[in-house]
Each structure stands twice: as C-alpha cells, then as structure tokens.
Amino acid sequence: MGKVYVFDHPLIQHKLTYIRDKNTGTKEFRELVDEVAGLMAFEITRDLPLEEVEVETPVTHAKSKVLAGKKLGLVPILRAGLGMVDGILKLIPAAKVGHVGLYRDPETLKPVEYYVKLPSDIEERELIVLDPMLATGGSASEAITSLKKRGAKNIKLMCMIAAPEGVEIVKEEHPDVDIYLAALDEKLNEKGYIVPGLGDAGDRLFGTK
Ligand code: PRP
Ligand code: URA
C-alpha cells in the first residue's frame, strides 16, 4: 500500500497559511506555491540515487557524489500543477517536464483528459506528478493511470492540500504510489471543494474566475 507523508516543516506550514488566506493576491499566491513546491521537493528527493565521481578541487583530488541514472521527470496536471514546476526546477534544473491536461467536469466532478505530452523513456524515469489539490482524487488517479498506460513504473504524487477522500482513492487505485502533502484537510464540501482548503487553485494562480 502506498504511504502518505505530510510535511510538517515549519517553513512549509508557515507559507501554506498564507496560501490558504483568501486575502493573498495572485502575485503572492504564485510566489508562495513556487516556494512550497521547492521545499517539498527538497524532502521528496531524499532517496534519489547517487554515484561517486572524482573531482579536482583547488587543493587535491576528491571522491564526491552526483545524481545517478535518468533525469527525474516532473508531470504537472494542467492547469494548477504548472504553478509547482518552477520552484522544483530551481533545485533540479535538469529535470524533464511532461504535461497532463485534465479538467474536472463541474457537474459530475469526473476528470476529462485533453492533453498528454511526456518526456521520452518514461519507463526508466522517476516521475513526480504535481497538483496543488487532491480533492475527490479523480484527476490525480486518472493522470497516474494515463502515465502507467504509457509505461511509467516509478511514480510519486505531490500535492499541497488533500482531502481524505482523495487520498483513499489514490491509495486504492494506485497502491504503488506514495503521496506527499503539505496538509491533509478535513473533508470535501458538496461542490467537491476541499474544506478548509484554499479555494480554486487554478483560479487563484492564474487570476481567472
Ligand atoms: C483542480 C485541481 C485538480 C483537481 C482536483 O483542477 O488543480 O487538478 O481540481 O480535483 P479532484 O481531486 O476532485 O479531481 P480543475 O479541474 O479545477 O482544473 P484547472 O486546474 O484547469 O482549473
Ligand atoms: N480543485 C481546487 O482547485 N480546489 C478544491 O478545493 C478542489 C478541487
């Protein structure tokens, strides 16, 4: 069964408070999402494989370590997942980026896929699926299914805020996928919004409504 990690790092929790705040405007919201994504990525990438290399320092030769294997793949779920990409690329600039376009039908709350473009060799890469919100879990689960259909084998899911319902769906449908969160909230409301949540992540990031 996939594990669920909630990052309680004080910097993540502090920034998340201002992300939730309805008085935080688009510019600041974007900056905070970017920063939290970077901080979460720092924690998630703890187990990336390393290999030893020789490096010449100004003083002598040293054995030191660099990341090994295929470059990591980031897969934001459009639109709101895009807000998490740059903060991670600041730390891992060589990561490849794929995109999965999904929107949630407002009536049925079911995800509708409209775009998929992925890096090559995804079966050999570790992929991190990015979406600020894990609500019913339909979008994340569908995105992961879409990646697996195309050969992906090693997938992590990184969301800022989740509802228990969404976590359960992903655990059930994708028991091989670990989930990384900044907060696990209380519930979904009748419109499928996370409570207390942060509202509509895409609208707040892109200034739409
Ligand atoms: C939001 C959010 C997730 C999805 C979560 O996207 O960014 O992708 O809803 O809901 P779920 O867990 O119930 O599927 P939305 O469908 O609003 O699309 P957008 O990012 O294009 O605005
Ligand atoms: N999508 C959002 O952007 N926010 C929610 O609370 C649920 C789904």
Side-chain angles (χ1 to χ4, degrees):
M1 189 54 82
K3 296 194 191 72
V4 180
Y5 300 90
V6 182
F7 295 132
D8 58 1
H9 193 291
L11 291 178
I12 294 177
Q13 293 305 313
H14 175 86
K15 290 174 193 294
L16 186 64
T17 300
Y18 294 97
I19 287 175
R20 288 186 189 278
D21 188 337
K22 70 173 188 179
N23 296 314
T24 298
T26 302
K27 175 178 179 286
E28 204 187 341
F29 185 88
R30 240 181 240 151
E31 289 166 357
L32 288 163
V33 168
D34 185 76
E35 288 168 13
V36 168
L39 291 167
M40 291 181 74
F42 187 73
E43 299 269 14
I44 289 181
T45 49
R46 235 169 232 294
D47 60 354
L48 282 181
L50 290 169
E51 64 187 354
E52 202 166 78
V53 294
E54 278 258 326
V55 64
E56 197 178 337
T57 76
V59 180
T60 182
H61 290 269
K63 290 193 191 320
S64 197
K65 292 185 176 141
V66 293
L67 293 172
K70 283 266 181 196
K71 304 278 183 288
L72 197 74
L74 307 178
V75 185
I77 300 179
L78 307 180
R79 292 177 297 165
L82 286 176
M84 299 170 79
V85 173
D86 284 354
I88 304 177
L89 287 179
K90 278 180 205 143
L91 298 178
I92 317 168
K96 306 287 177 186
V97 183
H99 297 86
V100 176
L102 289 173
Y103 69 89
R104 199 170 72 148
D105 183 293
E107 300 296 322
T108 64
L109 299 185
K110 297 280 176 233
V112 182
E113 187 176 283
Y114 59 87
Y115 185 76
V116 180
K117 183 81 179 173
L118 300 171
S120 60
D121 308 336
I122 59 163
E123 64 282 357
E124 293 167 40
R125 295 182 193 279
E126 176 172 331
L127 301 178
I128 306 180
V129 174
L130 306 172
D131 196 324
M133 309 307 275
L134 180 62
T136 64
S139 304
S141 189
E142 182 68 23
I144 294 167
T145 300
S146 189
L147 296 178
K148 287 182 174 172
K149 265 193 224 154
R150 292 166 173 83
K153 294 193 175 66
N154 184 355
I155 301 173
K156 290 177 168 159
L157 174 63
M158 173 172 156
C159 302
M160 291 192 320
I161 301 181
E165 295 88 331
V167 168
E168 281 317 304
I169 287 292
V170 174
K171 280 170 76 176
E172 240 169 64
E173 296 185 357
H174 301 288
D176 55 313
V177 173
D178 289 342
I179 304 173
Y180 299 84
L181 306 171
L184 179 57
D185 276 10
E186 199 186 318
K187 60 178 183 185
L188 292 177
N189 69 13
E190 66 290 347
K191 290 187 180 149
Y193 276 86
I194 300 176
V195 180
L198 54 70
D200 189 306
D203 283 347
R204 293 196 63 191
L205 265 172
F206 297 110
T208 48
K209 187 71 195 144

mmCIF file with all atom_site columns, all heavy atoms in Angstrom, residues 141-160:
data_model
loop_
_atom_site.group_PDB
_atom_site.id
_atom_site.type_symbol
_atom_site.label_atom_id
_atom_site.label_alt_id
_atom_site.label_comp_id
_atom_site.label_asym_id
_atom_site.label_entity_id
_atom_site.label_seq_id
_atom_site.pdbx_PDB_ins_code
_atom_site.Cartn_x
_atom_site.Cartn_y
_atom_site.Cartn_z
_atom_site.occupancy
_atom_site.B_iso_or_equiv
_atom_site.pdbx_formal_charge
_atom_site.auth_seq_id
_atom_site.auth_comp_id
_atom_site.auth_asym_id
_atom_site.auth_atom_id
_atom_site.pdbx_PDB_model_num
ATOM 1   N N   . SER A 1 141 ? -5.730 10.414 -9.926  1.00 0.00 ? 141 SER A N   1
ATOM 2   C CA  . SER A 1 141 ? -5.767 8.990  -10.230 1.00 0.00 ? 141 SER A CA  1
ATOM 3   C C   . SER A 1 141 ? -5.781 8.761  -11.747 1.00 0.00 ? 141 SER A C   1
ATOM 4   O O   . SER A 1 141 ? -5.072 7.885  -12.260 1.00 0.00 ? 141 SER A O   1
ATOM 5   C CB  . SER A 1 141 ? -7.008 8.378  -9.579  1.00 0.00 ? 141 SER A CB  1
ATOM 6   O OG  . SER A 1 141 ? -6.934 6.997  -9.693  1.00 0.00 ? 141 SER A OG  1
ATOM 7   N N   . GLU A 1 142 ? -6.562 9.593  -12.452 1.00 0.00 ? 142 GLU A N   1
ATOM 8   C CA  . GLU A 1 142 ? -6.629 9.479  -13.918 1.00 0.00 ? 142 GLU A CA  1
ATOM 9   C C   . GLU A 1 142 ? -5.263 9.823  -14.538 1.00 0.00 ? 142 GLU A C   1
ATOM 10  O O   . GLU A 1 142 ? -4.819 9.161  -15.479 1.00 0.00 ? 142 GLU A O   1
ATOM 11  C CB  . GLU A 1 142 ? -7.709 10.445 -14.420 1.00 0.00 ? 142 GLU A CB  1
ATOM 12  C CG  . GLU A 1 142 ? -7.960 10.427 -15.908 1.00 0.00 ? 142 GLU A CG  1
ATOM 13  C CD  . GLU A 1 142 ? -8.595 9.120  -16.383 1.00 0.00 ? 142 GLU A CD  1
ATOM 14  O OE1 . GLU A 1 142 ? -9.232 8.421  -15.560 1.00 0.00 ? 142 GLU A OE1 1
ATOM 15  O OE2 . GLU A 1 142 ? -8.432 8.800  -17.579 1.00 0.00 ? 142 GLU A OE2 1
ATOM 16  N N   . ALA A 1 143 ? -4.601 10.853 -14.013 1.00 0.00 ? 143 ALA A N   1
ATOM 17  C CA  . ALA A 1 143 ? -3.285 11.240 -14.542 1.00 0.00 ? 143 ALA A CA  1
ATOM 18  C C   . ALA A 1 143 ? -2.284 10.097 -14.351 1.00 0.00 ? 143 ALA A C   1
ATOM 19  O O   . ALA A 1 143 ? -1.501 9.771  -15.255 1.00 0.00 ? 143 ALA A O   1
ATOM 20  C CB  . ALA A 1 143 ? -2.788 12.506 -13.841 1.00 0.00 ? 143 ALA A CB  1
ATOM 21  N N   . ILE A 1 144 ? -2.318 9.462  -13.194 1.00 0.00 ? 144 ILE A N   1
ATOM 22  C CA  . ILE A 1 144 ? -1.388 8.361  -12.914 1.00 0.00 ? 144 ILE A CA  1
ATOM 23  C C   . ILE A 1 144 ? -1.699 7.175  -13.837 1.00 0.00 ? 144 ILE A C   1
ATOM 24  O O   . ILE A 1 144 ? -0.783 6.552  -14.391 1.00 0.00 ? 144 ILE A O   1
ATOM 25  C CB  . ILE A 1 144 ? -1.458 7.960  -11.413 1.00 0.00 ? 144 ILE A CB  1
ATOM 26  C CG1 . ILE A 1 144 ? -0.937 9.111  -10.551 1.00 0.00 ? 144 ILE A CG1 1
ATOM 27  C CG2 . ILE A 1 144 ? -0.662 6.680  -11.154 1.00 0.00 ? 144 ILE A CG2 1
ATOM 28  C CD1 . ILE A 1 144 ? -1.233 8.968  -9.063  1.00 0.00 ? 144 ILE A CD1 1
ATOM 29  N N   . THR A 1 145 ? -2.989 6.883  -14.036 1.00 0.00 ? 145 THR A N   1
ATOM 30  C CA  . THR A 1 145 ? -3.372 5.800  -14.956 1.00 0.00 ? 145 THR A CA  1
ATOM 31  C C   . THR A 1 145 ? -2.832 6.097  -16.356 1.00 0.00 ? 145 THR A C   1
ATOM 32  O O   . THR A 1 145 ? -2.297 5.216  -17.041 1.00 0.00 ? 145 THR A O   1
ATOM 33  C CB  . THR A 1 145 ? -4.914 5.666  -15.015 1.00 0.00 ? 145 THR A CB  1
ATOM 34  O OG1 . THR A 1 145 ? -5.376 5.379  -13.704 1.00 0.00 ? 145 THR A OG1 1
ATOM 35  C CG2 . THR A 1 145 ? -5.358 4.579  -15.967 1.00 0.00 ? 145 THR A CG2 1
ATOM 36  N N   . SER A 1 146 ? -2.966 7.340  -16.768 1.00 0.00 ? 146 SER A N   1
ATOM 37  C CA  . SER A 1 146 ? -2.518 7.757  -18.092 1.00 0.00 ? 146 SER A CA  1
ATOM 38  C C   . SER A 1 146 ? -0.983 7.552  -18.231 1.00 0.00 ? 146 SER A C   1
ATOM 39  O O   . SER A 1 146 ? -0.499 7.090  -19.264 1.00 0.00 ? 146 SER A O   1
ATOM 40  C CB  . SER A 1 146 ? -2.897 9.225  -18.244 1.00 0.00 ? 146 SER A CB  1
ATOM 41  O OG  . SER A 1 146 ? -2.707 9.670  -19.509 1.00 0.00 ? 146 SER A OG  1
ATOM 42  N N   . LEU A 1 147 ? -0.238 7.870  -17.178 1.00 0.00 ? 147 LEU A N   1
ATOM 43  C CA  . LEU A 1 147 ? 1.221  7.676  -17.210 1.00 0.00 ? 147 LEU A CA  1
ATOM 44  C C   . LEU A 1 147 ? 1.560  6.186  -17.254 1.00 0.00 ? 147 LEU A C   1
ATOM 45  O O   . LEU A 1 147 ? 2.448  5.758  -18.001 1.00 0.00 ? 147 LEU A O   1
ATOM 46  C CB  . LEU A 1 147 ? 1.878  8.291  -15.968 1.00 0.00 ? 147 LEU A CB  1
ATOM 47  C CG  . LEU A 1 147 ? 1.763  9.809  -15.829 1.00 0.00 ? 147 LEU A CG  1
ATOM 48  C CD1 . LEU A 1 147 ? 2.416  10.264 -14.531 1.00 0.00 ? 147 LEU A CD1 1
ATOM 49  C CD2 . LEU A 1 147 ? 2.425  10.491 -17.017 1.00 0.00 ? 147 LEU A CD2 1
ATOM 50  N N   . LYS A 1 148 ? 0.836  5.390  -16.460 1.00 0.00 ? 148 LYS A N   1
ATOM 51  C CA  . LYS A 1 148 ? 1.118  3.944  -16.428 1.00 0.00 ? 148 LYS A CA  1
ATOM 52  C C   . LYS A 1 148 ? 0.819  3.310  -17.780 1.00 0.00 ? 148 LYS A C   1
ATOM 53  O O   . LYS A 1 148 ? 1.561  2.445  -18.236 1.00 0.00 ? 148 LYS A O   1
ATOM 54  C CB  . LYS A 1 148 ? 0.296  3.269  -15.328 1.00 0.00 ? 148 LYS A CB  1
ATOM 55  C CG  . LYS A 1 148 ? 0.807  3.576  -13.925 1.00 0.00 ? 148 LYS A CG  1
ATOM 56  C CD  . LYS A 1 148 ? -0.024 2.838  -12.899 1.00 0.00 ? 148 LYS A CD  1
ATOM 57  C CE  . LYS A 1 148 ? 0.543  3.014  -11.497 1.00 0.00 ? 148 LYS A CE  1
ATOM 58  N NZ  . LYS A 1 148 ? -0.359 2.456  -10.471 1.00 0.00 ? 148 LYS A NZ  1
ATOM 59  N N   . LYS A 1 149 ? -0.276 3.763  -18.445 1.00 0.00 ? 149 LYS A N   1
ATOM 60  C CA  . LYS A 1 149 ? -0.623 3.230  -19.771 1.00 0.00 ? 149 LYS A CA  1
ATOM 61  C C   . LYS A 1 149 ? 0.507  3.461  -20.757 1.00 0.00 ? 149 LYS A C   1
ATOM 62  O O   . LYS A 1 149 ? 0.688  2.713  -21.698 1.00 0.00 ? 149 LYS A O   1
ATOM 63  C CB  . LYS A 1 149 ? -1.858 3.973  -20.314 1.00 0.00 ? 149 LYS A CB  1
ATOM 64  C CG  . LYS A 1 149 ? -3.161 3.288  -20.060 1.00 0.00 ? 149 LYS A CG  1
ATOM 65  C CD  . LYS A 1 149 ? -4.231 3.957  -20.930 1.00 0.00 ? 149 LYS A CD  1
ATOM 66  C CE  . LYS A 1 149 ? -5.472 4.177  -20.103 1.00 0.00 ? 149 LYS A CE  1
ATOM 67  N NZ  . LYS A 1 149 ? -6.300 5.283  -20.585 1.00 0.00 ? 149 LYS A NZ  1
ATOM 68  N N   . ARG A 1 150 ? 1.263  4.530  -20.540 1.00 0.00 ? 150 ARG A N   1
ATOM 69  C CA  . ARG A 1 150 ? 2.371  4.869  -21.433 1.00 0.00 ? 150 ARG A CA  1
ATOM 70  C C   . ARG A 1 150 ? 3.704  4.312  -20.934 1.00 0.00 ? 150 ARG A C   1
ATOM 71  O O   . ARG A 1 150 ? 4.755  4.696  -21.422 1.00 0.00 ? 150 ARG A O   1
ATOM 72  C CB  . ARG A 1 150 ? 2.430  6.381  -21.621 1.00 0.00 ? 150 ARG A CB  1
ATOM 73  C CG  . ARG A 1 150 ? 1.241  6.898  -22.403 1.00 0.00 ? 150 ARG A CG  1
ATOM 74  C CD  . ARG A 1 150 ? 1.107  8.410  -22.313 1.00 0.00 ? 150 ARG A CD  1
ATOM 75  N NE  . ARG A 1 150 ? 0.063  8.892  -23.202 1.00 0.00 ? 150 ARG A NE  1
ATOM 76  C CZ  . ARG A 1 150 ? -1.243 8.912  -22.902 1.00 0.00 ? 150 ARG A CZ  1
ATOM 77  N NH1 . ARG A 1 150 ? -1.651 8.493  -21.726 1.00 0.00 ? 150 ARG A NH1 1
ATOM 78  N NH2 . ARG A 1 150 ? -2.130 9.349  -23.780 1.00 0.00 ? 150 ARG A NH2 1
ATOM 79  N N   . GLY A 1 151 ? 3.646  3.471  -19.910 1.00 0.00 ? 151 GLY A N   1
ATOM 80  C CA  . GLY A 1 151 ? 4.849  2.748  -19.500 1.00 0.00 ? 151 GLY A CA  1
ATOM 81  C C   . GLY A 1 151 ? 5.487  3.164  -18.193 1.00 0.00 ? 151 GLY A C   1
ATOM 82  O O   . GLY A 1 151 ? 6.453  2.536  -17.752 1.00 0.00 ? 151 GLY A O   1
ATOM 83  N N   . ALA A 1 152 ? 4.988  4.228  -17.551 1.00 0.00 ? 152 ALA A N   1
ATOM 84  C CA  . ALA A 1 152 ? 5.636  4.700  -16.317 1.00 0.00 ? 152 ALA A CA  1
ATOM 85  C C   . ALA A 1 152 ? 5.524  3.648  -15.212 1.00 0.00 ? 152 ALA A C   1
ATOM 86  O O   . ALA A 1 152 ? 4.492  3.001  -15.056 1.00 0.00 ? 152 ALA A O   1
ATOM 87  C CB  . ALA A 1 152 ? 4.990  5.999  -15.856 1.00 0.00 ? 152 ALA A CB  1
ATOM 88  N N   . LYS A 1 153 ? 6.613  3.504  -14.446 1.00 0.00 ? 153 LYS A N   1
ATOM 89  C CA  . LYS A 1 153 ? 6.627  2.464  -13.407 1.00 0.00 ? 153 LYS A CA  1
ATOM 90  C C   . LYS A 1 153 ? 6.918  3.025  -12.019 1.00 0.00 ? 153 LYS A C   1
ATOM 91  O O   . LYS A 1 153 ? 6.616  2.403  -11.024 1.00 0.00 ? 153 LYS A O   1
ATOM 92  C CB  . LYS A 1 153 ? 7.709  1.435  -13.739 1.00 0.00 ? 153 LYS A CB  1
ATOM 93  C CG  . LYS A 1 153 ? 7.390  0.679  -15.006 1.00 0.00 ? 153 LYS A CG  1
ATOM 94  C CD  . LYS A 1 153 ? 8.284  -0.541 -15.183 1.00 0.00 ? 153 LYS A CD  1
ATOM 95  C CE  . LYS A 1 153 ? 7.862  -1.348 -16.380 1.00 0.00 ? 153 LYS A CE  1
ATOM 96  N NZ  . LYS A 1 153 ? 8.053  -0.637 -17.655 1.00 0.00 ? 153 LYS A NZ  1
ATOM 97  N N   . ASN A 1 154 ? 7.565  4.177  -11.996 1.00 0.00 ? 154 ASN A N   1
ATOM 98  C CA  . ASN A 1 154 ? 8.015  4.721  -10.721 1.00 0.00 ? 154 ASN A CA  1
ATOM 99  C C   . ASN A 1 154 ? 7.421  6.130  -10.551 1.00 0.00 ? 154 ASN A C   1
ATOM 100 O O   . ASN A 1 154 ? 7.934  7.091  -11.114 1.00 0.00 ? 154 ASN A O   1
ATOM 101 C CB  . ASN A 1 154 ? 9.547  4.740  -10.757 1.00 0.00 ? 154 ASN A CB  1
ATOM 102 C CG  . ASN A 1 154 ? 10.146 5.187  -9.447  1.00 0.00 ? 154 ASN A CG  1
ATOM 103 O OD1 . ASN A 1 154 ? 9.430  5.579  -8.520  1.00 0.00 ? 154 ASN A OD1 1
ATOM 104 N ND2 . ASN A 1 154 ? 11.464 5.154  -9.361  1.00 0.00 ? 154 ASN A ND2 1
ATOM 105 N N   . ILE A 1 155 ? 6.318  6.201  -9.814  1.00 0.00 ? 155 ILE A N   1
ATOM 106 C CA  . ILE A 1 155 ? 5.561  7.462  -9.757  1.00 0.00 ? 155 ILE A CA  1
ATOM 107 C C   . ILE A 1 155 ? 5.343  7.884  -8.305  1.00 0.00 ? 155 ILE A C   1
ATOM 108 O O   . ILE A 1 155 ? 4.995  7.066  -7.450  1.00 0.00 ? 155 ILE A O   1
ATOM 109 C CB  . ILE A 1 155 ? 4.176  7.286  -10.437 1.00 0.00 ? 155 ILE A CB  1
ATOM 110 C CG1 . ILE A 1 155 ? 4.343  6.851  -11.895 1.00 0.00 ? 155 ILE A CG1 1
ATOM 111 C CG2 . ILE A 1 155 ? 3.358  8.575  -10.356 1.00 0.00 ? 155 ILE A CG2 1
ATOM 112 C CD1 . ILE A 1 155 ? 3.037  6.481  -12.591 1.00 0.00 ? 155 ILE A CD1 1
ATOM 113 N N   . LYS A 1 156 ? 5.551  9.183  -8.060  1.00 0.00 ? 156 LYS A N   1
ATOM 114 C CA  . LYS A 1 156 ? 5.196  9.778  -6.768  1.00 0.00 ? 156 LYS A CA  1
ATOM 115 C C   . LYS A 1 156 ? 4.161  10.869 -7.030  1.00 0.00 ? 156 LYS A C   1
ATOM 116 O O   . LYS A 1 156 ? 4.186  11.474 -8.113  1.00 0.00 ? 156 LYS A O   1
ATOM 117 C CB  . LYS A 1 156 ? 6.431  10.402 -6.112  1.00 0.00 ? 156 LYS A CB  1
ATOM 118 C CG  . LYS A 1 156 ? 7.432  9.367  -5.643  1.00 0.00 ? 156 LYS A CG  1
ATOM 119 C CD  . LYS A 1 156 ? 8.671  10.007 -5.071  1.00 0.00 ? 156 LYS A CD  1
ATOM 120 C CE  . LYS A 1 156 ? 9.475  8.922  -4.356  1.00 0.00 ? 156 LYS A CE  1
ATOM 121 N NZ  . LYS A 1 156 ? 10.866 9.268  -4.187  1.00 0.00 ? 156 LYS A NZ  1
ATOM 122 N N   . LEU A 1 157 ? 3.313  11.114 -6.059  1.00 0.00 ? 157 LEU A N   1
ATOM 123 C CA  . LEU A 1 157 ? 2.309  12.169 -6.204  1.00 0.00 ? 157 LEU A CA  1
ATOM 124 C C   . LEU A 1 157 ? 2.567  13.249 -5.156  1.00 0.00 ? 157 LEU A C   1
ATOM 125 O O   . LEU A 1 157 ? 2.636  12.945 -3.964  1.00 0.00 ? 157 LEU A O   1
ATOM 126 C CB  . LEU A 1 157 ? 0.904  11.576 -6.018  1.00 0.00 ? 157 LEU A CB  1
ATOM 127 C CG  . LEU A 1 157 ? -0.250 12.585 -5.998  1.00 0.00 ? 157 LEU A CG  1
ATOM 128 C CD1 . LEU A 1 157 ? -0.378 13.334 -7.326  1.00 0.00 ? 157 LEU A CD1 1
ATOM 129 C CD2 . LEU A 1 157 ? -1.574 11.875 -5.658  1.00 0.00 ? 157 LEU A CD2 1
ATOM 130 N N   . MET A 1 158 ? 2.716  14.491 -5.625  1.00 0.00 ? 158 MET A N   1
ATOM 131 C CA  . MET A 1 158 ? 2.975  15.598 -4.700  1.00 0.00 ? 158 MET A CA  1
ATOM 132 C C   . MET A 1 158 ? 1.861  16.634 -4.813  1.00 0.00 ? 158 MET A C   1
ATOM 133 O O   . MET A 1 158 ? 1.645  17.194 -5.881  1.00 0.00 ? 158 MET A O   1
ATOM 134 C CB  . MET A 1 158 ? 4.318  16.220 -5.081  1.00 0.00 ? 158 MET A CB  1
ATOM 135 C CG  . MET A 1 158 ? 4.672  17.471 -4.358  1.00 0.00 ? 158 MET A CG  1
ATOM 136 S SD  . MET A 1 158 ? 6.389  17.856 -4.806  1.00 0.00 ? 158 MET A SD  1
ATOM 137 C CE  . MET A 1 158 ? 6.405  19.587 -4.500  1.00 0.00 ? 158 MET A CE  1
ATOM 138 N N   . CYS A 1 159 ? 1.138  16.837 -3.722  1.00 0.00 ? 159 CYS A N   1
ATOM 139 C CA  . CYS A 1 159 ? 0.046  17.808 -3.695  1.00 0.00 ? 159 CYS A CA  1
ATOM 140 C C   . CYS A 1 159 ? 0.241  18.682 -2.466  1.00 0.00 ? 159 CYS A C   1
ATOM 141 O O   . CYS A 1 159 ? 0.800  18.226 -1.478  1.00 0.00 ? 159 CYS A O   1
ATOM 142 C CB  . CYS A 1 159 ? -1.304 17.117 -3.578  1.00 0.00 ? 159 CYS A CB  1
ATOM 143 S SG  . CYS A 1 159 ? -1.643 15.955 -4.903  1.00 0.00 ? 159 CYS A SG  1
ATOM 144 N N   . MET A 1 160 ? -0.258 19.907 -2.515  1.00 0.00 ? 160 MET A N   1
ATOM 145 C CA  . MET A 1 160 ? -0.111 20.739 -1.318  1.00 0.00 ? 160 MET A CA  1
ATOM 146 C C   . MET A 1 160 ? -1.182 20.392 -0.290  1.00 0.00 ? 160 MET A C   1
ATOM 147 O O   . MET A 1 160 ? -0.894 20.211 0.882   1.00 0.00 ? 160 MET A O   1
ATOM 148 C CB  . MET A 1 160 ? -0.166 22.217 -1.694  1.00 0.00 ? 160 MET A CB  1
ATOM 149 C CG  . MET A 1 160 ? 1.069  22.612 -2.487  1.00 0.00 ? 160 MET A CG  1
ATOM 150 S SD  . MET A 1 160 ? 1.270  24.368 -2.698  1.00 0.00 ? 160 MET A SD  1
ATOM 151 C CE  . MET A 1 160 ? -0.379 24.863 -2.996  1.00 0.00 ? 160 MET A CE  1
#
